[in-house]
Amino acid sequence: MRARAAARAEELRRLIEHHNYRYYVLDDPEITDAEWDRLFAELGALEADHPELVAPDSPTQRIGARPADAFGQIVHRLPMLSLENAFSEEDVREFDLRTRDRLKVQGDIEYAVEPKLDGLAVTVIYERGRYARAATRGDGVRGEDVTANVRTVRSVPLVLRGDVPALLEARGEVFMPRAGFERLNAEARARGEKTFANPRNAAAGSLRQLDPRITAARPLEVFFYGLGEIEGSTPPERQSALLAQLRSWGLRVCPEASIVRGVEGCLEYFRRIGARRASLPYQIDGVVYKVDRRADQDRLGSAVRAPRWALAHKFPADEARTVVRGVEFQVGRTGALTPVARLEPVFVGGVTVSNATLHNMDEIERKDVRIGDTVVIRRAGDVIPEIVRVVPERRPADAIRVGLPARCPVCGSPVMREAQDAVARCSGRRRCAAQNREWLRHFASRRAMDIDGLGEQLLGQLVARGLVATPADLYALSAEELAGLERMGEKSARNLLEAIDRSRSTTLPRFLFALGIPDVGEVTALALASEFGTLEALAAADIEHVQRTPNVGPVIALSIREFFADPVNQQIIGELRARGVHWAPQESVPATKPLAGSTFVMTGTLAAMTREEVEERLRALGAKVSGSLSGKTGYLVVGADPGSKLQRAQALGIATLDEPQLLELLRTGRLPARTLR
Ligand code: IVH
């Protein structure tokens, strides 16, 4: 019996390592996440019954090792060098010239080229193919012993595959994919805690946790790119062959690595990767050129700090320093005031930036941003520029603290801030032009009344000319009024009127969502529609009844009551109905919401249904459907020709569903087990 258990445990470990390799290294899983979960659970159960079978390199042992008191030190067997940096094409050409000169070659050199990952260098030691130790780079000679923490990184195999050397020191970069980083920061912000300035800091902070259980909960990944000590196997003759060898041992290498000829090949690679930089799921800060042949590397040797055979070509910085000239407050649909820093314009990340979001007052206090301060700002990809930190030594004596305005900058109504609430709001509601404009925008949006062609620009004009103040006014617009607007031909005026007309016929959940009641999103709108059936019933309901609706707590219930009690809102709803806005009676939806609490995202095209149909069906089962991946995403539905979301989801460890699985789910309402990976 025991022998059987031992054999099965061994088999399960082998299977799990195999499937981890397929999943993490090859990006080509052979089994579903649920099947993987079953293998993992079976091994866990076996080990629980037979504790003597638990081996330190079992996949179950990644999480939960005892916290270390402090990090010990590890002296590197071979020093961990740094890289020489290049910031211009000229620097790169000089490097190539120097290298050819030293090697006395006339023609092109072959370079192995790789992205320069923005993480933390680690060295991972395998003894007879088993994970033994891991260390950070430290000062290059001595690093911190992070064995317990690196063990929790799921893309670091605990057992190598194939013909393994007696000793292998694999070097690489531990990093945090962008999506995981954003999720971590969003969670920290929601808890009012400090956020990480960038994915690199987040990776470093996560790896230097004294409690490996914290590290285990962080979305860290690894790419290997180099070799330290090796015993019992000859090192491959080229960097490119080394990457292939590492990969065959089951160590993950960056899929963007390549080989090029000569300096022109290097520069072309730099431009190619640079163009794709923002769409890579992880942050990189340049590319690395390495002389491909080892014999040449050996001839070139190393200087004190960095090898002579490699060069890091850095991208222009996406961070810059500038001065905060002022802080203004923008007013959103629900009156939320968002502080925005007005900056001395700077060129960063390829564009000139003159504004940066500060999120809310807590964020200003946490970062202690004052007017007059010199700050570091960052603009990465398409994201809104952010203030990373203040440069304290540059603070002028007359720097001004930022205070919450007592009155709304747009309508002058008092600003309210509930205790415990990070958000301050303008109390002007329908009297506030900013809130009204944002409300109109929300009302017309695709998921609400879906008025095609009524964009921000056009709404701005309608409001500015006094043609529209409330959603009800949209349904009284005439062709003559529209004809007077800028860039509005007869045909577009007609199209817009038709779109407005079409939107008159809607559904109760959509209409409720369009009303823009604070905190009532699509899911809550659907729940309310199902609970009350008609708008009249909801408007007349007492607060206790509203609160009994699934997903509705006391705060939302109060917000709903206040909305319907407001005579201005009552009047607008009355006008909307008088102008022909109507909806079909709400069908009763299943009492149970099997998918409540899960969020779905879609990519690619489905054969059997349109996206809208799928979204509607998922929502009817209680699910949330979102347009973009985040830490809250539970499942990615993958159709034909999926986009980059698939790659990102895999990087984040988000479970995927193909079309047959989705159809099964819609039919049965039963979820596949969520992956543990
Ligand atoms: S090779 C002796 N390759 O860059 C060669 N380093 O600025 C040393 N890095 O400490 C490293 N991506 O943390 C190499 N593809 C890559 C890299 C890379 C990122 C980091 C590494 C190193 C630092 C030097």
Side-chain angles (χ1 to χ4, degrees):
M1 186 61 209
R2 236 209 100 227
R4 274 246 300 278
R8 178 64 182 157
E10 192 44 51
E11 184 180 357
L12 285 166
R13 277 181 208 131
R14 267 209 336 272
L15 279 170
I16 292 168
E17 284 294 340
H18 168 79
H19 291 300
N20 282 356
Y21 171 75
R22 302 283 318 184
Y23 184 92
Y24 288 114
V25 181
L26 302 184
D27 263 347
D28 185 20
E30 290 172 325
I31 58 171
T32 64
D33 290 338
E35 289 171 309
W36 187 93
D37 291 344
R38 273 198 291 278
L39 294 176
F40 193 86
E42 188 188 340
L43 179 59
L46 259 182
E47 289 179 341
D49 287 342
H50 305 273
E52 73 283 2
L53 293 181
V54 181
D57 58 21
S58 170
T60 56
Q61 299 306 299
R62 284 187 191 264
I63 317 169
R66 227 168 11 88
D69 293 324
F71 293 110
Q73 285 200 330
I74 286 188
V75 177
H76 300 307
R77 289 159 180 259
L78 291 175
M80 287 182 78
L81 297 180
S82 185
L83 290 170
E84 189 189 325
N85 287 325
F87 296 96
S88 67
E89 277 199 22
E90 204 183 325
D91 291 348
V92 180
R93 289 184 196 284
E94 273 171 22
F95 165 79
D96 177 61
L97 265 180
R98 230 173 23 238
T99 310
R100 283 192 293 150
D101 195 44
R102 286 190 175 123
L103 292 175
K104 302 194 170 52
V105 296
Q106 304 288 311
D108 283 343
I109 295 181
E110 279 186 309
Y111 289 104
V113 291
E114 302 158 14
K116 186 169 191 301
L117 306 153
D118 206 4
L120 195 73
V122 291
T123 184
V124 182
I125 299 172
Y126 288 90
E127 288 171 355
R128 279 175 237 297
R130 287 177 185 268
Y131 178 88
R133 274 184 308 286
T136 61
R137 191 170 92 91
D139 61 5
V141 175
R142 239 175 272 268
E144 287 163 318
D145 182 345
V146 284
T147 306
N149 291 358
V150 170
R151 198 204 305 275
T152 70
V153 178
R154 294 186 183 271
S155 45
V156 172
L158 300 176
V159 180
L160 296 181
R161 308 166 57 78
D163 203 3
V164 296
L167 180 113
L168 171 73
E169 198 181 347
R171 290 180 171 174
E173 199 87 351
V174 168
F175 60 93
M176 189 175 287
R178 242 191 271 273
F181 165 75
E182 279 156 22
R183 175 183 78 200
L184 200 65
N185 266 0
E187 286 167 3
R189 209 173 279 130
R191 285 194 302 264
E193 291 170 7
K194 256 188 82 159
T195 53
F196 287 109
N198 54 48
R200 207 206 85 82
N201 286 0
S206 301
L207 209 55
R208 293 227 187 79
Q209 290 289 331
L210 288 177
D211 185 348
R213 282 171 299 190
I214 298 181
T215 312
R218 300 282 171 83
L220 294 175
E221 296 191 10
V222 73
F223 281 138
F224 289 95
Y225 49 65
L227 194 61
E229 189 85 276
I230 181 164
E231 285 169 13
S233 172
T234 33
E237 283 178 6
R238 286 171 177 266
Q239 168 70 14
S240 46
L242 170 65
L243 294 184
Q245 172 71 271
L246 291 172
R247 193 173 148 93
S248 78
W249 280 325
L251 297 162
R252 199 161 173 248
V253 303
C254 178
E256 309 296 335
S258 182
I259 315 178
V260 300
R261 290 193 73 84
V263 68
E264 295 309 329
C266 289
L267 294 173
E268 207 243 335
Y269 180 76
F270 178 81
R271 287 188 285 268
R272 188 148 48 90
I273 293 287
R276 293 185 37 227
R277 183 181 181 192
S279 61
L280 291 176
Y282 40 82
Q283 185 167 299
I284 62 175
D285 58 350
V287 300
V288 184
Y289 310 129
K290 299 174 181 174
V291 172
D292 197 33
R293 290 184 42 183
R294 267 191 67 80
D296 289 343
Q297 293 182 1
D298 292 345
R299 276 166 66 200
L300 289 160
S302 291
V304 187
R305 210 182 64 92
R308 290 196 194 89
W309 45 264
L311 184 73
H313 187 179
K314 304 282 275 277
F315 294 131
D318 55 7
E319 288 190 353
R321 284 184 178 202
T322 186
V323 174
V324 178
R325 288 278 169 244
V327 172
E328 287 172 15
F329 287 82
Q330 282 176 352
V331 184
R333 170 168 66 85
T334 60
L337 260 57
T338 305
V340 177
R342 302 288 176 221
L343 308 167
E344 194 63 47
V346 275
F347 193 72
V348 54
V351 296
T352 300
V353 167
S354 46
N355 301 312
T357 177
L358 281 161
H359 299 288
N360 55 44
M361 288 307 291
D362 286 355
E363 185 86 353
I364 295 185
E365 273 157 42
R366 244 189 326 267
K367 291 185 173 157
D368 190 20
V369 178
R370 304 188 192 175
I371 298 166
D373 267 343
T374 295
V375 291
V376 175
I377 65 150
R378 184 181 42 241
R379 180 192 175 273
D382 301 331
V383 304
I384 306 166
E386 266 198 316
I387 290 184
V388 181
R389 63 183 177 87
V390 167
V391 184
E393 57 277 18
R394 299 285 297 275
R395 169 167 290 166
D398 59 353
I400 302 167
R401 282 180 188 273
V402 180
L404 185 65
R407 294 190 166 272
C408 171
V410 177
C411 72
S413 302
V415 167
M416 317 288 248
R417 187 177 182 189
E418 307 279 329
Q420 303 289 313
D421 196 355
V423 180
R425 288 173 205 278
C426 154
S427 59
R429 302 209 181 162
R430 299 293 158 249
R431 288 176 298 282
C432 177
Q435 287 192 49
N436 276 343
R437 195 190 52 233
E438 294 305 308
W439 184 29
L440 285 165
R441 206 154 73 150
H442 168 78
F443 185 86
S445 67
R446 199 170 65 78
R447 320 198 84 128
M449 299 301 275
D450 192 17
I451 306 179
D452 209 19
L454 190 55
E456 199 174 343
Q457 229 271 326
L458 198 53
L459 264 178
Q461 282 194 63
L462 291 170
V463 173
R465 290 174 187 232
L467 291 172
V468 172
T470 77
D473 299 337
L474 291 170
Y475 295 94
L477 282 171
S478 69
E480 296 74 56
E481 284 168 331
L482 290 180
L485 301 177
E486 287 162 34
R487 272 180 292 177
M488 175 65 75
E490 209 175 295
K491 181 147 185 272
S492 22
R494 205 170 47 239
N495 286 346
L496 180 59
L497 284 178
E498 276 170 21
I500 292 175
D501 191 40
R502 268 198 308 277
S503 77
R504 280 192 166 94
S505 169
T506 184
T507 65
L508 180 55
R510 269 180 182 264
F511 183 73
L512 276 176
F513 175 59
L515 286 178
I517 306 166
D519 299 316
V520 176
E522 285 170 286
V523 175
T524 310
L526 183 65
L528 290 167
S530 318
E531 178 74 22
F532 291 93
T534 66
L535 189 70
E536 292 71 19
L538 173 61
D542 58 45
I543 193 156
E544 286 75 26
H545 187 184
V546 177
Q547 215 175 303
R548 282 201 303 276
T549 312
N551 293 322
V552 174
V555 176
I556 305 185
L558 187 63
S559 161
I560 293 167
R561 284 296 342 119
E562 284 180 353
F563 182 89
F564 287 108
D566 187 332
V568 179
N569 291 333
Q570 289 171 6
Q571 189 187 339
I572 293 169
I573 292 171
E575 284 171 11
L576 283 165
R577 306 196 81 157
R579 291 174 186 166
V581 175
H582 63 279
W583 46 86
Q586 176 66 15
E587 280 177 38
S588 75
V589 291
T592 53
K593 298 274 180 144
L595 303 187
S598 353
T599 301
F600 287 74
V601 174
M602 286 190 243
T603 182
T605 30
L606 299 172
M609 280 189 256
T610 66
R611 268 194 193 213
E612 278 67 30
E613 283 167 333
V614 175
E615 288 180 11
E616 219 125 272
R617 303 259 319 252
L618 284 172
R619 277 204 203 96
L621 292 168
K624 262 178 99 157
V625 184
S626 164
S628 58
L629 290 170
S630 76
K632 299 216 179 76
T633 310
Y635 297 87
L636 179 71
V637 175
V638 183
D641 298 325
S644 62
K645 281 183 189 145
L646 178 56
Q647 210 186 354
R648 275 191 61 192
Q650 286 173 343
L652 273 173
I654 291 169
T656 55
L657 291 176
D658 59 17
E659 184 161 353
Q661 286 174 312
L662 171 75
L663 296 178
E664 174 79 11
L665 167 69
L666 292 177
R667 204 169 49 75
T668 62
R670 274 221 315 276
L671 269 173
R674 193 185 163 151
T675 170
L676 293 171
R677 282 186 274 184

